[in-house]
Amino acid sequence: MAFDFLVPVEDRVIAHCELLPAQAIGKNTHIHTVKDGLPVLANATIAIVGVKETRNAFEKKLEQLDVSEIRMQFYRLLLGNWNSTIVDLGDIEEGDTVEDTYFVVKEVVAGLLEEKVIPVILGATQDVSYPAYRAFDGIKDMINLVAIDSRFDFGIDDELISSHSYMSKIITDKPNNLFNFSNIGYQSYFNAQEEIDLMERLFFDAYRLGEVANDLALAEPVLRNAHMISLDARAVRASEMGLANSFSPNGFSGREICTIARYAGISDKVSLFGIFEMENNVQSQQLVAQIVWYFIEGINFRINESPYSKTDDFLRYTVPTEEEELVFHKSQLTQRWWIEVPSIFTSHTKANTPALLPCTEKDYLDACNQNIPERWFKAYKKGFN
């Protein structure tokens, strides 16, 4: 059993939790300890897992990620008005080979997905996204993956998998379960034009840092449609991460990245959230702890709604354009928008029911001005699921 490979949380973290007030997260989390063993997964909502593997880092790590310090920063935060049950399963240490570590990550994540528990991975390097993605094999047919990252991480042809090339492996590896890939926060000067062209050719979605920072609501429908989210901490500006090495002066602010994490939590499709490439300094550890807090906050505001299930709660708008008649739906409860993608039908909807693509009010207003939303066009071309 893969859970047997999980190493208990360090004693210093347990001692830290003993001193916390009753309202602190550390006092309300079921923790894997040497004394008590693994916590029971029944009724758990979120499971925290540390992954210390660094051997496929693009820039070699000078020190091991101190997941215990991130835990202590997280555990001292106070609970929100939540009904989530949090468990901490401890850490996956480096195996004899990188492949050994990947195998354990895949098996642990798959076990959690089968139990309907959301893994929150605190990983040293982002290549761990690959075995986490493979964990969906046999559980979910087609995956929408969102990376919050300054780079697309396609790497160079034939390059061995690394934290800068794991996406190439996800795209090309069999079985190919990737339906859509979206990037939020890329910075053009970190990405070759060939990579940008590849995103276009594959009808993947990409949103530049400036575009999202100017209007964070752009990220919400992208995240609403995601099953898995991989957050590279290097998408955050260096000053917010304690002027850490290998970070850029440009990037998301702490407030912006926490807002994005909350959107990720609110999405009722998201069943895996990973944060990678953190640094061992207090400011970085505090920010990562707060990102996890906002993700869990979002989970507690989830509303499972669909225009096809409760039609009374939705307004329907038909917008004729020169090319196509577009149909939008707006929730009167959450004010969220969807657009129908015609002629693309899915097995999990009623017969002959067009699929629904999350969108923004701006997409509706653009359509009213005869501008077809780009995400709709890409989904239409590709076959939206």
Side-chain angles (χ1 to χ4, degrees):
M1 183 70 181
F3 289 112
D4 295 340
F5 291 100
L6 289 160
V7 176
V9 173
E10 289 186 31
D11 289 342
R12 62 187 170 118
V13 180
I14 310 304
H16 169 79
C17 290
E18 292 296 321
L19 304 173
L20 295 172
Q23 304 91 336
I25 292 173
K27 274 285 206 288
N28 295 273
T29 298
H30 304 277
I31 301 175
H32 180 190
T33 64
V34 174
K35 180 184 172 187
D36 298 328
L38 281 162
V40 176
L41 289 179
N43 303 317
T45 316
I46 299 116
I48 294 167
V49 181
V51 182
K52 297 184 176 180
E53 180 61 66
T54 62
R55 283 169 288 187
N56 277 346
F58 186 77
E59 300 104 351
K60 292 306 170 194
K61 302 291 182 182
L62 299 177
E63 55 186 3
Q64 193 175 60
L65 178 67
D66 193 341
V67 187
S68 291
E69 285 294 336
I70 298 172
R71 283 189 169 97
M72 287 194 279
Q73 294 294 344
F74 176 61
Y75 286 147
R76 65 161 51 116
L77 301 177
L78 303 184
L79 288 169
N81 185 19
W82 301 342
N83 54 13
S84 298
T85 301
I86 305 168
V87 298
D88 188 335
L89 299 183
D91 296 328
I92 297 171
E93 300 278 1
E94 290 188 345
D96 290 340
T97 65
V98 178
E99 289 69 27
D100 290 341
T101 311
Y102 285 178
F103 174 79
V104 175
V105 170
K106 178 186 172 185
E107 293 299 308
V108 167
V109 172
L112 291 169
L113 293 174
E114 286 172 346
E115 293 285 340
K116 301 289 191 292
V117 179
I118 301 169
V120 174
I121 299 173
L122 303 175
T125 56
Q126 202 177 13
D127 55 287
V128 171
S129 298
Y130 172 70
Y133 156 77
R134 283 268 75 104
F136 285 89
D137 293 352
I139 296 173
K140 177 124 190 82
D141 289 338
M142 300 303 282
I143 302 301
N144 294 329
L145 166 60
V146 174
I148 301 155
D149 201 334
S150 59
R151 295 174 169 83
F152 296 137
D153 292 330
F154 290 137
I156 303 162
D157 290 345
D158 302 325
E159 181 183 336
L160 293 172
I161 182 170
S162 78
S163 53
H164 272 189
S165 65
Y166 73 93
M167 272 309 305
S168 295
K169 188 115 172 109
I170 286 176
I171 290 170
T172 59
D173 214 37
K174 302 286 192 239
N176 194 332
N177 296 340
L178 183 68
F179 182 77
N180 192 39
F181 170 58
S182 304
N183 171 284
I184 295 174
Y186 82 94
Q187 297 174 40
S188 298
Y189 38 72
F190 289 144
N191 296 279
Q193 188 59 47
E194 290 83 354
E195 292 180 279
I196 297 170
D197 293 343
L198 179 62
M199 290 288 287
E200 283 292 321
R201 276 203 311 278
L202 295 173
F203 302 112
F204 289 158
D205 302 310
Y207 299 85
R208 290 176 68 164
L209 170 66
E211 189 182 5
V212 181
N214 286 336
D215 182 8
L216 287 173
L218 280 175
E220 189 278 326
V222 182
L223 295 163
R224 200 190 326 159
N225 211 34
H227 301 104
M228 169 181 170
I229 294 169
S230 176
L231 193 167
D232 187 330
R234 292 172 300 189
V236 180
R237 65 174 72 132
S239 59
E240 307 279 302
M241 300 297 287
L243 297 172
N245 294 331
S246 78
F247 280 66
S248 167
N250 282 309
F252 289 115
S253 70
R255 185 182 66 82
E256 289 162 353
I257 201 68
C258 286
T259 300
I260 290 169
R262 189 174 186 274
Y263 282 146
I266 289 173
S267 165
D268 52 29
K269 282 188 178 179
V270 171
S271 48
L272 189 155
F273 185 69
I275 310 174
F276 306 96
E277 307 289 346
M278 298 83 86
E279 295 281 323
N280 288 335
N281 68 60
V282 174
Q283 193 171 327
S284 170
Q285 291 151 353
Q286 287 177 333
L287 182 54
V288 170
Q290 291 169 21
I291 290 169
V292 175
W293 191 97
Y294 274 101
F295 176 69
I296 298 172
E297 169 89 343
I299 288 172
N300 284 272
F301 281 94
R302 286 187 174 186
I303 295 175
N304 192 348
E305 60 175 357
S306 166
Y308 291 153
S309 59
K310 283 191 174 180
T311 50
D312 292 349
D313 294 340
F314 289 83
L315 298 173
R316 187 176 188 272
Y317 299 87
T318 303
V319 181
T321 69
E322 289 179 11
E323 292 89 358
E324 198 77 46
E325 188 173 85
L326 301 180
V327 179
F328 290 85
H329 299 267
K330 179 186 179 182
S331 166
Q332 299 190 79
L333 183 63
T334 63
Q335 308 300 304
R336 295 191 292 187
W337 289 77
W338 287 259
I339 183 173
E340 291 184 6
V341 184
S343 77
I344 296 156
F345 305 104
T346 54
S347 59
H348 58 267
T349 61
K350 298 172 188 172
N352 297 326
T353 303
L356 291 166
L357 179 69
C359 66
T360 62
E361 184 175 19
K362 183 178 182 299
D363 290 326
Y364 165 70
L365 295 174
D366 285 347
C368 291
N369 290 321
Q370 299 297 297
N371 295 317
I372 291 181
E374 188 177 352
R375 285 188 71 235
W376 180 91
F377 178 76
K378 287 180 177 179
Y380 181 77
K381 284 286 187 185
K382 186 168 49 180
F384 170 72
N385 187 30

